[in-house]
Amino acid sequence: MKLLNTVCALAVVLGTSSMAETIATGDLGLIIERATGSVLLVDQSDRAALHRIEGLGDLSHASLVYSSDERFAYVFGRDGGLTKVDIVDRKIAKRVVQAGNSIGGAISDDGKLVAVSNYEPGGVRVFDAETLELVADIPTGSKTIGLVDAPGSKFVFTMWDTGETWIADMSTGTAEITKIKDMGDRPYDALITGNGRTYITGLFGEDGLTALDLWAENPEPIRVLQNYGRGQEEMPVYKMPHLEGWADTGSDFVLPAVGHHEVLWIDSDTLQETGRTKTHGQPVFAMARPDGRHVWVNFAHPLNDTIQVIDTVTKQIVHEFKPGPAVLHMEFTPRGHEVWLSVRDAGKVMIYDTETFEKLREIEAESPSGIFFTARAHRTGL
Amino acid sequence: MKLLNTVCALAVVLGTSSMAETIATGDLGLIIERATGSVLLVDQSDRAALHRIEGLGDLSHASLVYSSDERFAYVFGRDGGLTKVDIVDRKIAKRVVQAGNSIGGAISDDGKLVAVSNYEPGGVRVFDAETLELVADIPTGSKTIGLVDAPGSKFVFTMWDTGETWIADMSTGTAEITKIKDMGDRPYDALITGNGRTYITGLFGEDGLTALDLWAENPEPIRVLQNYGRGQEEMPVYKMPHLEGWADTGSDFVLPAVGHHEVLWIDSDTLQETGRTKTHGQPVFAMARPDGRHVWVNFAHPLNDTIQVIDTVTKQIVHEFKPGPAVLHMEFTPRGHEVWLSVRDAGKVMIYDTETFEKLREIEAESPSGIFFTARAHRTGL
């Protein structure tokens, strides 16, 4: 009987070992390890790495979204791979290669559909979040960028080649498409506000940005900052900035400029410019701390060892430091008391207190890039 | 060996049975069953009740907050009980009776401290979230209301008797108190905006509300809607409205009026009134759908069988229906596609599609009141 107990105890331990400490998933996260095709499971409260999951293909420029129960991550690889990762069992649950070259994805507000935007062949494919079976194939005849989810089982995305934005309403089970023309010359990225109302595209081929009010009966392009753009000055663009992160301070938004060493402030009601703040380099991400009081900015090569922190009331830089070589991404804890930074060429993720700017911990990671906490499951457009 | 395997298999099953389906916690929730001192664990995605947890004492007017990993709920009972519920193991993890009569609580942004506000004896007590050991006792000499968490390990609360608001900064481990006088006559409830910037108290003893800008160096009372109040008309107040729920449409807030059959619209920048919408009865909760496009309103007895839905652009009522007797609370799914309603005297929680208003499911519950989904863990001031 003693042997029996010992063997049984062992069985219980083995049976649950793979999910040892992770039975609640609210404060977990995944970090993209771009060079090795792996993701690192981390615990935000313990500031710790828990497990490495491998075999996800080409993860350069990869991103991911979470299921609404915060159990599964859907990882969008550059090679067209769509990988469903189970963070409870710490393994790949399913993987399909759905296109030749993809550029990001989104999950519907009900958690039932995962959409991927593709360069080759250009378009959007929508998959069942449970099985990864194809639900809808939406060819666009163009490289497709700026794919986001919107309330009401909608996906919104934009065509680099034709300058159109399409809204795909999936609420009936098949894609009902609304097309909006004339968004501008070569849109390169887009964002949607946290409430799902305003969609904004950045433009590569002309000055300014273009917004859509998705609450309007018939949304029409609204030109924003037409006196601003990449064309006026002779500065090379080292890296196109990401529009995903922006601050909403209650009255203003802040956006990274393209090709300039500055961020731009826009009144969130009128979409008029309210100011600019000079920065250390060409901004890549301008990310709001969740309370909106500070914006953290990282920069394009060769100035990508530096972070600047801007106060959103005064629009002044209040802190600057050099975490290390190639700071690629930032992720705040959901309520903003800490921030995690990927410092790729140091092979580390660094964790800072956002009030004192003190470094709290370093975690080893293989060429870390994107950091994604599970709290994203509950947000629109991330 | 076959026996051994069978016994071991049984051991494994028993060892994990209590957490069978709930190892990811992102889409779970608890419903307060006020008459029986129990809470009902529910799954938002499956629209299902999972388990009843009993022995929580007097849960009339109870509320709760979640740990940052979405595993533990801290339930604040009317009888001064503070109960830590483990939703993975589906049982009470710890329980203390910390005062004679309490009125709500909050959790710090780092998840380490739980605060409770008390009527008897009047004040706030702060507990270690892990052990429930007392960390700080803050007597106020007054019934204490409107306790919320704010960024930077702060708690903010207000005194019914003296009209003061106190900010307790717990970041050094002991409570450093800032006192703000002259918030008004008999504040009865308060709220903090989602970004943690603006704290607003409702007043029972005089017209208007009082706001604080917590980003200011020295926050001072700002009078709001001084031409509005309960005093001008001879309407009895059947139930004081809750200020917890309000809509932020980007430019406006909406608040339930006191004693009047209407909700009030306030410009979120200037705090000036921008409109009123007549309603079916005295509003209790005016809750924004997470996208801010609609506000759902329930009402005080005897008109508490009805829900009205208001469009925040037109400020017009777009839908009205009667779910059943005594609709006490509403909770939206984190991204707003569904809403759960507690219909106390029907003994049911009802789930609706927020786009079509179609009823999707009913769940049996014992006198249900507050509904709390785990996504609250990631928000400020809920």
Side-chain angles (χ1 to χ4, degrees):
Chain A
M1 196 59 199
K2 195 173 172 198
L3 170 68
L4 192 77
N5 282 342
T6 305
V7 175
C8 287
L10 190 67
V12 171
V13 168
L14 288 176
T16 58
S17 68
S18 70
M19 56 182 187
E21 303 292 319
T22 64
I23 37 182
T25 50
D27 59 352
L28 301 184
L30 289 170
I31 297 171
I32 303 287
E33 297 184 311
R34 47 190 292 150
T36 48
S38 53
V39 291
L40 191 64
L41 178 64
V42 296
D43 184 310
Q44 165 230 305
S45 305
D46 291 344
R47 303 184 194 123
L50 300 176
H51 196 77
R52 174 167 289 123
I53 298 160
E54 299 177 308
L56 283 83
D58 180 359
L59 293 187
S60 55
H61 216 281
S63 63
L64 62 84
V65 297
Y66 286 102
S67 65
S68 51
D69 65 356
E70 299 182 336
R71 174 170 182 168
F72 298 103
Y74 301 90
V75 184
F76 310 106
R78 190 54 175 264
D79 57 0
L82 168 59
T83 309
K84 182 177 179 179
V85 173
D86 182 336
I87 64 173
V88 170
D89 285 345
R90 301 179 175 183
K91 65 177 191 188
I92 292 174
K94 204 156 286 190
R95 176 171 160 82
V96 297
V97 175
Q98 56 83 41
N101 187 318
S102 71
I103 194 66
I107 186 163
S108 61
D109 57 355
D110 63 5
K112 292 186 178 152
L113 299 171
V114 172
V116 191
S117 61
N118 295 314
Y119 276 5
E120 291 294 334
V124 168
R125 288 187 169 145
V126 182
F127 298 87
D128 182 296
E130 180 72 28
T131 63
L132 297 193
E133 280 167 21
L134 188 68
V135 173
D137 188 8
I138 308 171
T140 59
S142 164
K143 289 179 183 170
T144 303
I145 57 94
L147 169 65
V148 300
D149 44 78
S153 295
K154 294 191 180 82
F155 295 108
V156 187
F157 46 92
T158 296
M159 274 46 86
W160 163 269
D161 302 289
T162 61
E164 288 186 352
T165 292
W166 292 10
I167 302 168
D169 183 339
M170 298 296 301
S171 61
T172 62
T174 56
E176 293 175 28
I177 308 284
T178 303
K179 298 180 186 182
I180 295 131
K181 292 182 190 297
D182 194 27
M183 291 292 285
D185 185 10
R186 280 166 287 169
Y188 70 90
D189 195 10
L191 63 83
I192 191 167
T193 51
N195 63 359
R197 176 171 187 173
T198 309
Y199 181 82
I200 300 188
T201 59
L203 302 176
F204 187 79
E206 64 179 282
D207 286 354
L209 305 147
T210 309
L212 285 178
D213 179 358
L214 299 178
W215 288 9
E217 198 70 51
N218 296 300
E220 291 184 4
I222 303 163
R223 302 290 168 182
V224 179
L225 294 182
Q226 287 188 274
N227 60 339
Y228 145 79
R230 67 176 296 274
Q232 301 117 316
E233 303 187 17
E234 293 298 318
M235 302 173 71
V237 178
Y238 290 107
K239 178 162 175 44
M240 295 303 286
H242 286 265
L243 296 183
E244 174 207 317
W246 68 346
D248 181 354
T249 67
S251 56
D252 281 303
F253 297 128
V254 58
L255 291 169
V258 181
H260 300 268
H261 289 205
E262 61 190 16
V263 296
L264 310 170
W265 303 81
I266 302 173
D267 183 289
S268 55
D269 287 336
T270 64
L271 299 178
Q272 297 299 303
E273 180 181 333
T274 58
R276 300 184 182 197
T277 302
K278 291 284 173 203
T279 55
H280 174 71
Q282 293 182 4
V284 176
F285 283 103
M287 306 276 283
R289 200 172 67 180
D291 68 349
R293 180 63 193 268
H294 285 167
V295 174
W296 288 52
V297 186
N298 71 341
F299 302 100
H301 181 81
L303 299 172
N304 59 0
D305 62 346
T306 300
I307 289 283
Q308 287 183 317
V309 180
I310 307 175
D311 183 292
T312 57
V313 174
T314 64
K315 299 186 172 69
Q316 300 294 310
I317 290 163
V318 292
H319 187 63
E320 175 177 333
F321 66 109
K322 294 186 187 300
V327 182
L328 294 195
H329 196 234
M330 304 169 264
E331 177 87 334
F332 291 92
T333 56
R335 292 175 56 187
H337 69 302
E338 297 177 6
V339 65
W340 292 41
L341 306 181
S342 276
V343 189
R344 186 192 61 198
D345 295 349
K348 286 182 167 49
V349 171
M350 300 181 186
I351 305 170
Y352 291 83
D353 183 306
T354 59
E355 280 289 323
T356 64
F357 304 115
E358 177 194 359
K359 191 196 285 184
L360 301 170
R361 185 76 59 93
E362 292 184 356
I363 293 174
E364 304 284 327
E366 295 286 340
S367 297
S369 59
I371 307 172
F372 303 88
F373 290 142
T374 51
R376 288 172 174 251
H378 304 316
R379 303 272 176 82
T380 290
L382 289 185
Chain B
M1 197 62 199
K2 191 172 175 201
L3 171 68
L4 194 77
N5 282 343
T6 306
V7 175
C8 287
L10 190 65
V12 172
V13 168
L14 288 176
T16 57
S17 67
S18 68
M19 55 184 188
E21 302 292 321
T22 65
I23 38 182
T25 49
D27 59 351
L28 302 184
L30 289 171
I31 297 170
I32 303 285
E33 298 185 311
R34 48 190 292 148
T36 48
S38 52
V39 290
L40 191 65
L41 178 65
V42 296
D43 184 310
Q44 166 231 303
S45 304
D46 291 345
R47 304 184 193 122
L50 300 176
H51 196 76
R52 176 168 287 125
I53 298 161
E54 299 178 309
L56 283 83
D58 180 359
L59 293 187
S60 54
H61 215 280
S63 64
L64 63 84
V65 297
Y66 286 102
S67 65
S68 50
D69 64 356
E70 299 183 336
R71 174 169 183 171
F72 298 103
Y74 301 90
V75 184
F76 309 105
R78 191 53 175 266
D79 58 0
L82 168 59
T83 309
K84 182 176 178 179
V85 174
D86 183 336
I87 64 173
V88 170
D89 284 346
R90 302 181 175 182
K91 65 176 189 189
I92 292 175
K94 206 156 284 191
R95 176 173 160 80
V96 296
V97 176
Q98 55 83 43
N101 188 318
S102 72
I103 194 65
I107 187 164
S108 60
D109 56 357
D110 62 5
K112 292 186 179 152
L113 299 171
V114 172
V116 190
S117 60
N118 295 312
Y119 276 3
E120 292 294 333
V124 168
R125 287 187 171 144
V126 182
F127 298 87
D128 181 294
E130 179 71 28
T131 63
L132 297 194
E133 279 168 22
L134 187 68
V135 171
D137 189 9
I138 308 171
T140 60
S142 165
K143 286 179 185 170
T144 304
I145 58 93
L147 170 65
V148 300
D149 45 77
S153 295
K154 293 191 181 82
F155 294 108
V156 187
F157 45 93
T158 296
M159 272 48 82
W160 163 269
D161 301 289
T162 62
E164 288 185 354
T165 292
W166 292 9
I167 303 168
D169 183 337
M170 297 296 302
S171 60
T172 63
T174 56
E176 290 174 31
I177 308 284
T178 302
K179 298 181 186 181
I180 294 129
K181 292 183 190 298
D182 195 26
M183 292 290 286
D185 186 10
R186 281 166 285 167
Y188 69 90
D189 196 8
L191 63 83
I192 191 166
T193 51
N195 63 359
R197 177 171 186 173
T198 308
Y199 181 82
I200 301 188
T201 58
L203 302 175
F204 187 78
E206 64 180 282
D207 285 355
L209 305 146
T210 308
L212 286 179
D213 179 358
L214 299 177
W215 288 9
E217 198 71 49
N218 296 298
E220 291 183 5
I222 303 162
R223 303 290 167 181
V224 179
L225 294 183
Q226 287 189 272
N227 61 340
Y228 144 78
R230 65 177 296 273
Q232 302 118 315
E233 301 189 20
E234 294 297 315
M235 300 174 70
V237 178
Y238 291 107
K239 178 163 174 42
M240 295 302 286
H242 286 265
L243 296 182
E244 175 207 318
W246 70 344
D248 180 354
T249 66
S251 57
D252 281 304
F253 296 128
V254 58
L255 292 169
V258 181
H260 301 269
H261 289 205
E262 62 190 16
V263 296
L264 310 171
W265 302 82
I266 303 174
D267 182 289
S268 54
D269 287 335
T270 64
L271 300 178
Q272 298 296 305
E273 180 180 332
T274 58
R276 302 184 180 195
T277 301
K278 291 284 172 203
T279 55
H280 175 70
Q282 294 181 3
V284 175
F285 284 102
M287 307 276 284
R289 199 172 69 180
D291 68 349
R293 180 63 193 267
H294 285 166
V295 173
W296 288 52
V297 186
N298 71 341
F299 302 100
H301 180 85
L303 299 172
N304 59 0
D305 62 345
T306 299
I307 289 283
Q308 286 184 317
V309 180
I310 307 175
D311 183 292
T312 57
V313 174
T314 64
K315 300 185 171 68
Q316 300 293 310
I317 291 163
V318 292
H319 188 63
E320 175 178 332
F321 66 109
K322 295 186 186 298
V327 182
L328 295 195
H329 196 233
M330 304 170 263
E331 178 87 333
F332 291 92
T333 56
R335 293 176 57 187
H337 68 304
E338 297 179 4
V339 66
W340 291 42
L341 306 180
S342 274
V343 189
R344 184 192 62 197
D345 295 348
K348 285 182 166 54
V349 170
M350 300 180 184
I351 304 169
Y352 291 82
D353 183 305
T354 59
E355 279 289 324
T356 64
F357 305 114
E358 178 194 357
K359 190 195 286 186
L360 302 170
R361 185 74 60 92
E362 292 184 355
I363 293 174
E364 304 284 326
E366 294 286 340
S367 298
S369 57
I371 307 172
F372 303 88
F373 291 142
T374 52
R376 288 173 173 249
H378 304 317
R379 304 272 176 82
T380 291
L382 289 185

